[in-house]
Amino acid sequence: MDMTLAESNLLQEYIIKEIATDDEELNAFLFSLGCYSGEPITVVSRKKKNCVVAIKDARYSIDNELASAIVV
């Protein structure tokens, strides 16, 4: 069953299935972080309005709207 990163479990590695957005700027931004289909991603921590994700050897803080566009 597909779910978004916003619904995922903490500290569990997922493989990105798709980026569900029509916003090209958002797509380009996520791609520049190394966030695209086939890449492993892990939610390291969560706060009210954002979450910290680990992609490759880096960590990024993304807001919940962005996390909701990442299908794992």
Side-chain angles (χ1 to χ4, degrees):
M1 189 188 96
D2 288 351
M3 68 174 152
T4 68
L5 209 57
E7 304 159 327
S8 68
N9 296 321
L10 275 179
L11 303 177
Q12 184 175 337
E13 185 174 86
Y14 294 92
I15 301 297
I16 299 170
K17 291 184 180 170
E18 70 170 312
I19 307 299
T21 179
D22 294 328
D23 186 335
E24 284 305 314
E25 214 172 282
L26 188 60
N27 257 336
F29 171 70
L30 287 170
F31 191 83
S32 74
L33 300 182
C35 183
Y36 44 83
S37 293
E39 271 307 305
I41 189 168
T42 305
V43 177
V44 180
S45 69
R46 276 210 173 84
K47 297 204 166 63
K48 276 187 181 173
K49 295 183 180 175
N50 64 5
C51 60
V52 176
V53 296
I55 305 169
K56 294 185 171 138
D57 294 331
R59 289 183 177 198
Y60 304 101
S61 179
I62 61 173
D63 66 22
N64 290 335
E65 189 179 337
L66 213 51
S68 296
I70 301 171
V71 179
V72 291

